[in-house]
Amino acid sequence: MCGIWALFGSDECLSVQCTSAMKIAHRGPDAFRFENVNGFTNCCFGFHRLAIVDQLYGMQPLRIKKFPYLWLCYNGEIYNHLTLKEQFGFEHQTNVDGEVLLHLYSRFGVQKMASLLDGVFAFILLDTANRKVLIGRDTYGVRPLFKLLTDDGFLALCSEAKGLTELSHTMTTQASVEPFLPGHFQVFDLKPNGKVQSIQMEAFHCCTQEPAHAVYDTVERLPTSFDEETVKSNIRALFENAVRKRLMSHRRIGCLLSGGLDSSLVAATLVKLAKEDKLQYPIQTFSIGSDDSPDVLAARKVAAHIGSEHHEVNFSVEEGIQAVEEVIHHLETYDITTIRASVGMYIVSKYIRQKTDSVVIFSGEGSDELAQGYIYFHKAPSPRAASEDSVRLLKELYMFDVLRADRTTAAHGLELRVPFLDHRLTAYYLSLPEEMRVPRSGVEKHLLRESFKGLDLIPEEILWRRKEAFSDGIMSFKKSWYTCLQEHLESVVNDDQMKKAHVTFPHNPPLTKEAYYYRQVFEKQYPGRSKWLSHFWMPRWTTATDPSARTLSIYKPDKDQ
């Protein structure tokens, strides 16, 4: 996890512009560098470092003797960097995983370079020999990247939008700041005056395709039969491989544990592989909630079962409500379910940073989208419709769950790892027959649960525990977190404001007082930027006006919680 920032063709003095780079300092608490580009006085890089791999040579922009004309600024982890180095006989100057991008680009160009990377990344690559600027972002947008491009060719890039919103430029209107599309790369011509012109924008990978790097993977070609036992064995092999490759770190590894299926499978597999790898410390797991919350009780069971060093973070409704403004500042969104779920994750991340030495944090994001875990999937009109919605959700993750997971952890200088969004695992799961992936016997994620049945990896009652939204499960069943929030905000927003909501906020007008309040806070911090969110996250195939699963008629709580 790092913060990257770059300008090409700035008309304003760089010492004035660079104050914007400091707005993402939380992403890299270990070191900071600001560097001009030789021969281009109005181009520069800013980098905030969180040191995870290669403590000595990890500062950026990364430049090596072999390619003195290449400058690389990237945020991410390339899990197959050693495999690619061996495969193509690259001679590396450093141990930095990102160095492999320079070698791949030099030999194959940007399209093949991006498609061979097994990992999460956002990169800015400057090629002064060919006068090109190249940018790209991983398949699911696990690592963030925002872009500002003016009509006259001033290009600014940053890990978070807040590093771009107050830059000076010559346009008379507000320059649009947009998230860069996941799974894409873009190429710009760099003119002698430092300005740029876009010449190519292309997708290099889509979640339904087998990734190009699979041929060099450590897990061999899998049996292709759709016989259920073969499929379950393949899912287990790919999931275990996804966790194993993410153990790459010089810093201590921990895991968020909500007590739901996804985080429990991640935590249990992590503990098992850490023992096999003989890690020198126990894996710490972290749960958050009020004392009697379903999540805290379930997480406690799982931690005892897998033998992790477990930490419980208690938080009250008051603390949660107090954190909302800070959370919206970090998230840069006003999406309802994203904010609700982020409050708990933000508070637990703060605890991890202040009270422990774990820095690399595993989490269960991506499973609900991949394995059709949301309760509304029970209402899908057909397996085909369910499958298409699963792909839609995965493609939109960068606006919702992945955004939440990145920003809440990066706010406290932690690095997130999400094994369920492994390229090979997701491509394989989505290639399975549509009928295999739908909820069965009234249980969502049936195939995933079946794949781990009878292994004693996690307690059986957790393996079959119903889906509980993170923002609901952290408070007691009697009263969920979103109910507490709504009660508090009832008095903060008045009925007159609600009546005029569609006039005040014509784009994505808020339908509830809670949504109105979030939008107010967002507009105060990021005025005129509501287009960053194209639509609210809402369940499909139902007339819901609230994203919480607890509002759906098909929601049935577990009786034993």
Side-chain angles (χ1 to χ4, degrees), residues 282-464:
I283 295 292
Q284 295 178 325
T285 49
F286 305 94
S287 70
I288 181 159
S290 61
D291 278 341
D292 62 340
S293 76
D295 279 4
V296 166
L297 300 174
R300 205 176 287 164
K301 262 180 209 167
V302 176
H305 186 89
I306 65 176
S308 62
E309 182 194 300
H310 190 54
H311 298 243
E312 289 178 6
V313 182
N314 266 311
F315 97 108
S316 64
V317 174
E318 293 71 38
E319 273 177 279
I321 287 162
Q322 264 181 340
V324 168
E325 288 204 23
E326 260 174 72
V327 165
I328 292 173
H329 170 73
H330 282 286
L331 292 178
E332 305 171 332
T333 188
Y334 51 92
D335 179 64
I336 307 156
T337 191
T338 304
I339 294 166
R340 282 178 189 168
S342 293
V343 170
M345 203 161 172
Y346 181 81
I347 292 170
V348 77
S349 298
K350 190 176 189 176
Y351 170 90
I352 296 170
R353 178 78 192 166
Q354 291 175 348
K355 302 280 201 294
T356 78
D357 57 349
S358 286
V359 176
V360 172
I361 306 298
F362 279 65
S363 190
E365 273 73 27
S367 169
D368 286 324
E369 290 75 11
L370 177 65
Q372 303 181 17
Y374 294 112
I375 288 174
Y376 75 76
F377 274 100
H378 291 287
K379 293 269 197 188
S382 66
R384 164 65 49 92
S387 174
E388 285 169 357
D389 204 54
S390 184
V391 172
R392 175 189 71 85
L393 287 169
L394 285 164
K395 286 181 175 172
E396 291 180 356
L397 264 172
Y398 76 101
M399 291 191 285
F400 302 111
D401 279 25
V402 151
L403 178 143
R404 161 178 59 77
D406 171 82
R407 284 338 130 68
T408 53
T409 49
H412 302 291
L414 304 176
E415 188 200 287
L416 187 83
R417 301 215 173 155
V418 280
F420 275 111
L421 291 176
D422 183 77
H423 301 162
R424 276 196 78 190
L425 173 64
T426 51
Y428 175 73
Y429 205 96
L430 294 171
S431 75
L432 298 172
E434 290 158 353
E435 302 72 34
M436 276 186 108
R437 293 182 275 138
V438 295
R440 254 189 280 174
S441 319
V443 181
E444 61 284 345
K445 289 189 281 208
H446 195 276
L447 176 62
L448 181 64
R449 296 172 198 272
E450 274 286 327
S451 302
F452 290 92
K453 192 170 91 175
L455 301 179
D456 199 36
L457 187 66
I458 59 174
E460 282 293 300
E461 73 263 35
I462 302 293
L463 187 62
W464 297 97

Side-chain angles (χ1 to χ4, degrees), residues 84 87 126 141 163 217 337-338 475 504 561:
L84 293 171
Q87 181 65 37
L126 170 63
D217 204 354
T337 191
T338 304
M475 290 288 164
T504 315
Q561 285 176 6

Side-chain angles (χ1 to χ4, degrees), residues 212-225:
H213 55 70
V215 289
Y216 310 118
D217 204 354
T218 44
V219 170
E220 300 301 315
R221 283 270 174 257
L222 298 164
T224 51
S225 144

Side-chain angles (χ1 to χ4, degrees), residues 2-17:
C2 299
I4 59 176
W5 183 86
L7 305 184
F8 300 94
S10 171
D11 291 308
E12 174 65 83
C13 169
L14 292 180
S15 59
V16 174
Q17 300 281 50

Side-chain angles (χ1 to χ4, degrees), residues 49 96 148 182 196 229 326 407 453 461 464 512 557:
R49 184 173 189 216
V96 178
L148 176 152
V196 305
E229 287 312 309
E326 260 174 72
R407 284 338 130 68
K453 192 170 91 175
E461 73 263 35
W464 297 97
T512 63

